Amino acid sequence: MSPRADPELALQRIRRLASDIVTGDELAGRLRSDRPLRIKFGIDPTFTEVHLGHAVPIRLLRLFQELGHFPVLILGDATARLGDPTGRNEQRPALSKEEVERNAATYLDQIGRILDLDPARCEMRRNSEWFGRMDFFDALKLAARTTVARLLERDDFQKRMQAAAPLHLHELLYPLMQGWDSVMVQADVELGGNDQLFNLHMGRLLQEREGMQPQVCVTTPLLLGTDGRKMSKTYGNHVPLTAPPQDMYGKVMSLSDALMPDWFRLATNLDEAEAAAVLAGHPRDAKARLAAAVTAALHGPAAAAAASAEFDRRFQQHALPSDIPEVRIAPGDYLLPNLLKEAGLAPSTSAARRLIEQGGVRLDEQVCTDAKTVVRLHDGAPARLLQAGKRRFARVAPR
RNA sequence: GGGGAGAUACCGAAGCGGCCAAACGGGACAGACUGUAAAUCUGUUGGCUCAUGCCUUCAGAGGUUCGAAUCCUCUUCUCCCCA
């Protein structure tokens, strides 16, 4: 276990990644205590792809770990089967045990890219451990610890009541379950996205009822997607933690300028002064620095440097990418649109034709706008270089 | 249980017998511009052996008609109001 950092400095670094802290004084007090704090973070394995937005609280958890504290990761295998009502898709179908397990495995793989999951430095618990043992009376006893009015304070519950939208009884109990996790693992601090504040508070309340010192709640700000909307897979504006270095770098480079300060703060380890200095320079360079920092954090500096060099080659010097996939096809004469389809560069020959007519296709580095071009690819013919749009390439050769 | 409104391409939404492969908006893709972007402008956005040609689409199944996304019947599903 690394030695604990200076409490003042620690607090400063935590604040930089935090949106709300309830309460700051309590956190300062605990950071000054002489034991490692138990930092709880819960994830419900309800989906499989973790992106940079999800990663913000995980990065904060990592920071606590670096500061000498002890992450307690809760795998919400019980809660996942219920579904946190926060989500817009309230009708999330109940997941099977198998699905939950499968998701959990991919989660840990992804989280492990940020957090040190070594059992000596991190505790991992499944909440089925205690919820699986509860009987109905235990559940009622838990429910008796709060009031309906208190639960209905939650913003999205209120909205749904007002909109006369369905609000199921079990959804009301979700915050209680999350809060009970805090009791069971004796959390000192719980982290979560800033939409989690209500649930985090419930942990405080339940711990207090149990005569424990209530946990400190720390929420993290929302990291917006590359286009400024909420980061989401459906918008295609997300950066998956598992994205290969080249893609990751490229995705970050497509970020809107205005979002750079947030991204520096929430997705990189640059300190405030350093980030400010970089941002004062040319936006292009700042973004390159950002992309490199994000990529390096997940793939290491060497991969980041390579991704950066490749990106510059491709988009600044308009050079060909260094790794063009090779496609082997049956020998013969091909109409250009068919060839594009065969090479996997277009979804249909019609789409390929349109692309050609719009000047989006290059054959051996020459723009070709004639959809009737015939490409002869007989046995022994040399490979032809195809480019569709700015970033799709293939070398096609007869099989 | 009663009454009403719907289901159209990736999404939202027009169309209500031929001029409909289907307006418009968003998204996506391409081109120009650029700092890689964003913004802006332009174009494209069912498929095909590439054609002023053919084929498959307007919830599903039948029917009327020379002709149906549009009319009729049934089925499925959604939403709203009343009980």
Side-chain angles (χ1 to χ4, degrees), chain A residues 31 99 272 305:
Chain A
L31 287 170
E99 282 172 304
E272 215 161 348

Side-chain angles (χ1 to χ4, degrees), chain A residues 147-165:
Chain A
T147 64
V148 171
R150 179 90 176 80
L151 287 171
L152 288 177
E153 283 170 18
R154 184 165 136 160
D155 192 51
D156 85 295
F157 288 159
Q158 271 187 44
K159 280 187 189 138
R160 280 158 70 182
M161 292 289 280
Q162 264 160 30

Side-chain angles (χ1 to χ4, degrees), chain A residues 38-43 58 61 70-76 107-108 111-112 115-117 122-127 130 185:
Chain A
R38 294 173 63 75
I39 316 296
K40 172 196 171 203
F41 178 66
I43 39 166
I58 303 171
L61 193 56
F70 200 70
V72 180
L73 211 54
I74 308 273
L75 259 173
Y107 259 45
L108 289 178
I111 290 171
L115 197 68
D116 184 353
L117 294 178
C122 172
E123 182 174 320
M124 178 128 41
R125 304 287 285 275
R126 290 166 186 257
N127 63 9
W130 40 91
V185 302

